[in-house]
Amino acid sequence: MTAPLRLVPDDPAPQGPPGAARALHAIARISHGPVPLDFDRLAAEFPAVQGGLALAGEADLELRLACTGPEELRTIATALYRAGAARVHIDLVLRALTPAPVTLRPVP
């Protein structure tokens, strides 16, 4: 028997109601329509929104999400379109990368 796929390690400080593990991590890149999206309202409405960046380039906004599962991720994507997003691109996070400490060695 194989272990279930875990996309990222458990969050050391999970948010949301007790028992609602936020193990599905994703990045949502959003291009808004004529009216910019209200990041503060989105973050207040959806506990899955962990943070975000306003961007200059192909996308206008990038949201860091930690969802309880695929259903919550679909709910957020639908809500983004309803809030006025023209395009939403979601990438699942497979693992978090952390730089290793640099070890300096003397040159012989």
Side-chain angles (χ1 to χ4, degrees):
M1 177 185 250
T2 61
L5 176 65
R6 293 169 46 114
L7 296 177
V8 291
D10 289 337
D11 189 354
Q15 297 178 0
R22 300 200 164 276
L24 178 61
H25 293 243
I27 301 292
R29 289 180 185 84
I30 302 148
S31 298
H32 52 69
V35 178
L37 296 174
D38 183 353
F39 171 77
D40 294 322
R41 185 184 62 77
L42 290 170
E45 187 175 343
F46 298 102
V49 176
Q50 303 293 301
L53 299 170
L55 304 173
E58 191 174 319
D60 298 307
L61 185 63
E62 180 177 281
L63 299 179
R64 186 172 47 88
L65 305 172
C67 300
T68 56
E71 185 61 37
E72 184 179 30
L73 185 59
R74 281 190 291 273
T75 299
I76 291 170
T78 301
L80 289 170
Y81 281 115
R82 286 186 184 144
R87 189 171 68 84
V88 176
H89 178 84
I90 296 177
D91 290 315
L92 297 179
V93 176
L94 299 179
R95 62 186 171 139
L97 303 176
T98 306
V102 177
T103 304
L104 300 177
R105 298 180 188 180
V107 178

